Amino acid sequence: MENNHAERSHAKLSASSSARWLACPPSALLNAQVADTASDFAREGTCAHELAEYKVNKFLGHNVRDPTENLDFFDAEMAECTDSYLQYITEETTKYHNPVVMVEQRLDFSAYVPDGFGTGDCIIITDEVLTVIDFKYGKNVLVSAENNSQMMLYALGALDMFGILYDIKEIRMVIFQPRMENISEYTISVEKLLEWAENTLIPTAKLAAEGKGEFQVGEHCRFCKVKATCRERAEYNLMLAQYDFAMPAELEDTEIETILPKADSLVSWVNDIKEYALSQAIAGKQWTGWKLVEGRSVRKYTDENAVAEKVKSAGADPYEHKVLGLTAMQKLLGKTKFNELLGGLIYKPQGKPTLVPDSDKRPEWNSAENDFKEES
Ligand code: SF4
């Protein structure tokens, strides 16, 4: 049993989950015991990667087959995003004289992490600089290259592989995330990278592989498979309920300020618990004091075409005619044509006020009330 755990844990110390297991080492073993469920987002990302790989390989003159017709997901946006990735790689490679370029390169970083390996989307080597580029197709979470542990693991793998052949001094890590118009770059010296590997990575990976170390709650819990049932996360969030409030019937400002920084974490934790409890109940589990019922439902047509025909024969127009939304319109026209035709007809209304910590980079909201105060 112990052995089994150890083996599975090794395989689970992946680069993509490294931000989590580096912050919370015991999460590695716990996650290794939960089966993967590939989401549609993940499958879409895999297709985009396949297409991007093909385009770069073709550009490099390799003999490759266009995978488009066999992709489970494909649309104009994917074609455009992979085109802009290719354009970026083209620009990067033409910047240097005779660079070595590798696509979908398997990178072995097992010298630092038990059984650690991953795949670098694109590696470019010039004399002293090794560039690792990662294509991210996600559009919800902005990914930064700065001290990005996934990229640092790839960099270590690449360094192990090519460090003997080239006198590499610096590693450039690039996240190319076209759907968020994000190209994030970060450069780290080989010396600093190896220092991190020695002092942080190796000891933490060892703890993670053995299921040891301290649990640590944080942003990374979002990607943890046991986030709904994790005791540490529950205790962290429930601590708020134990807050020793002062006596007056209403909360003081300082008390609200104590609750605010924890509110997001609390809400997402409670939602994770609700989602988990529901999925378990649907799978047959009985929660004492709870039952599954049918939710609210709305009326629907059984056959839209038949409805349209009936309404038309009664002399009325069954259709509503609306201009497509921005996303659908951009999909229809493609980004370039969309900007060319409609650039002057698009505006961005002021967003709703959102309360965020002082550390947030956005400038402070200028409300009408503040404007009025300033004027008077
Ligand atoms: S939910 Fe968070 S604290 Fe709990 S195991 Fe996962 S990463 Fe660690």
Side-chain angles (χ1 to χ4, degrees):
M1 192 71 180
E2 187 58 44
N3 252 339
N4 253 346
H5 272 174
E7 272 166 32
R8 275 147 88 190
S9 76
H10 290 174
K12 292 297 170 187
L13 294 184
S14 70
S16 56
S17 65
S18 59
R20 177 186 35 75
W21 59 255
L22 279 165
C24 177
S27 69
L29 265 197
L30 291 174
N31 277 260
Q33 290 156 25
V34 183
D36 273 324
T37 47
S39 67
D40 279 355
F41 293 124
R43 281 196 287 268
E44 190 186 41
T46 309
C47 294
H49 266 89
E50 217 176 301
L51 191 58
E53 179 188 358
Y54 158 73
K55 288 185 179 177
V56 178
N57 267 320
K58 192 169 165 224
F59 158 72
L60 294 172
H62 300 155
N63 189 10
V64 275
R65 260 191 61 191
D66 187 343
T68 312
E69 64 179 22
N70 296 321
L71 296 176
D72 292 338
F73 291 85
F74 174 74
D75 59 11
E77 189 182 18
M78 194 178 280
E80 214 168 302
C81 288
T82 44
D83 275 350
S84 56
Y85 173 65
L86 172 64
Q87 191 184 338
Y88 179 77
I89 301 286
T90 314
E91 284 163 12
E92 281 297 302
T93 49
T94 42
K95 259 200 314 215
Y96 307 103
H97 178 65
N98 263 346
V100 177
V101 186
M102 272 150 297
V103 183
E104 294 288 312
Q105 176 65 49
R106 190 187 149 100
L107 299 168
D108 183 329
F109 48 86
S110 59
Y112 310 91
V113 175
D115 287 348
F117 70 90
T119 309
D121 291 333
C122 186
I123 310 277
I124 301 173
I125 308 174
T126 59
D127 276 350
E128 298 192 335
V129 183
L130 187 147
T131 303
V132 186
I133 302 170
D134 200 40
F135 175 71
K136 299 253 183 238
Y137 199 57
K139 59 173 180 180
N140 293 320
V141 183
L142 192 85
V143 187
S144 163
E146 190 173 340
N147 289 321
N148 182 313
S149 59
Q150 180 182 8
M151 299 301 281
M152 285 157 87
L153 289 176
Y154 290 167
L156 284 167
L159 201 60
D160 258 23
M161 211 165 167
F162 306 110
I164 292 182
L165 302 172
Y166 304 89
D167 184 22
I168 298 162
K169 299 232 161 42
E170 270 183 359
I171 314 263
R172 247 179 95 226
M173 309 189 292
V174 182
I175 301 282
F176 187 89
Q177 194 178 16
R179 289 164 108 192
M180 294 201 78
E181 298 190 350
N182 172 35
I183 301 179
S184 173
E185 286 192 27
Y186 184 70
T187 301
I188 186 168
S189 67
V190 167
E191 197 189 331
K192 270 244 150 64
L193 182 69
L194 293 175
E195 203 179 287
W196 170 77
E198 206 57 48
N199 299 333
T200 307
L201 178 62
I202 294 177
T204 316
K206 187 169 183 295
L207 286 177
E210 291 166 355
K212 294 181 183 159
E214 301 279 318
F215 283 96
Q216 179 69 48
V217 177
E219 271 287 298
H220 51 268
C221 294
R222 184 153 45 134
F223 305 108
C224 182
K225 287 193 231 161
V226 299
K227 63 184 177 182
T229 49
C230 171
R231 184 168 301 282
E232 183 77 13
R233 189 171 178 231
E235 281 172 1
Y236 173 89
N237 282 289
L238 286 170
M239 251 162 52
L240 183 60
Q242 291 163 10
Y243 181 73
D244 196 8
F245 291 122
M247 278 314 281
E250 288 194 59
L251 296 179
E252 304 283 340
D253 287 358
T254 50
E255 289 167 322
I256 303 265
E257 283 157 8
T258 307
I259 297 168
L260 275 176
K262 285 200 144 197
D264 284 346
S265 148
L266 195 58
V267 169
S268 73
W269 171 64
V270 170
N271 283 336
D272 288 339
I273 296 264
K274 284 173 72 177
E275 212 176 283
Y276 170 77
L278 174 64
S279 65
Q280 291 292 304
I282 291 170
K285 174 158 180 84
Q286 287 285 337
W287 298 103
T288 311
W290 292 79
K291 63 180 176 186
L292 272 181
V293 294
E294 194 179 317
R296 209 179 73 84
S297 149
V298 288
R299 293 178 303 162
K300 285 194 167 169
Y301 295 129
T302 50
D303 180 344
E304 284 205 357
N305 291 332
V307 169
E309 285 313 314
K310 277 243 154 101
V311 176
K312 273 197 267 179
S313 64
D317 179 3
Y319 299 108
E320 64 173 346
H321 298 277
K322 270 174 54 178
V323 174
L324 290 179
L326 270 96
T327 315
M329 191 69 88
Q330 183 163 320
K331 258 190 181 168
L332 177 78
L333 299 173
K335 206 169 175 181
T336 319
K337 187 130 202 206
F338 175 85
N339 287 336
E340 210 175 278
L341 284 178
L342 306 178
L345 290 170
I346 288 163
Y347 84 109
K348 212 163 181 259
Q350 190 170 29
K352 274 200 227 151
T354 311
L355 197 58
V356 297
D358 271 341
S359 56
D360 193 282
K361 289 194 184 107
R362 286 167 286 182
E364 190 154 5
W365 161 274
N366 227 341
S367 68
E369 205 177 311
N370 278 346
D371 286 351
F372 176 72
K373 270 190 214 149
E374 276 166 25
E375 273 168 34
S376 53

